Amino acid sequence: TCLAEYIPHSNLTLIFQVNVAIAINRVLKRRNLLIGNNDIFIAATALHYAIPLATFSKKHCSRLEQDFD
């Protein structure tokens, strides 16, 4: 029996997005390029759903383009 069988799909999606956000945060922190947590979570959501990231913050977005495309 898999633990995922007991967790609703929407919760698994959220757990995955949080883990991706944590990974993004660690990479950016290591490079001293941190951006806001809200921007990190938006990027994680875009990665999860494989959709383009639309933003008015080109400065923050450029920090993500190198490693997370």
Side-chain angles (χ1 to χ4, degrees), residues 21 25 35-46 53 55 57 60 64:
N25 184 285
I35 60 176
N37 288 333
N38 55 332
D39 291 332
I40 289 173
F41 196 74
I42 290 167
T45 302
L53 178 62
T55 182
S57 180
H60 288 176
L64 297 167

Side-chain angles (χ1 to χ4, degrees), residues 27-28 31 33 47 62-69:
V27 169
L28 294 177
R31 296 182 179 170
L33 296 172
L47 281 170
S62 68
R63 296 177 185 184
L64 297 167
E65 289 176 344
Q66 297 171 354
D67 295 315
F68 302 103
D69 277 341

Side-chain angles (χ1 to χ4, degrees), residues 1-61:
T1 303
C2 176
L3 178 61
E5 292 176 17
Y6 299 102
I7 302 174
H9 176 70
S10 60
N11 289 348
L12 284 176
T13 299
L14 181 61
I15 291 167
F16 177 80
Q17 290 170 336
V18 168
N19 285 329
V20 172
I22 290 168
I24 292 170
N25 184 285
R26 286 181 180 159
V27 169
L28 294 177
K29 186 175 183 177
R30 195 174 324 133
R31 296 182 179 170
N32 202 28
L33 296 172
L34 273 179
I35 60 176
N37 288 333
N38 55 332
D39 291 332
I40 289 173
F41 196 74
I42 290 167
T45 302
L47 281 170
H48 174 73
Y49 289 106
I51 57 175
L53 178 62
T55 182
F56 289 112
S57 180
K58 292 180 183 178
K59 179 181 174 185
H60 288 176
C61 188

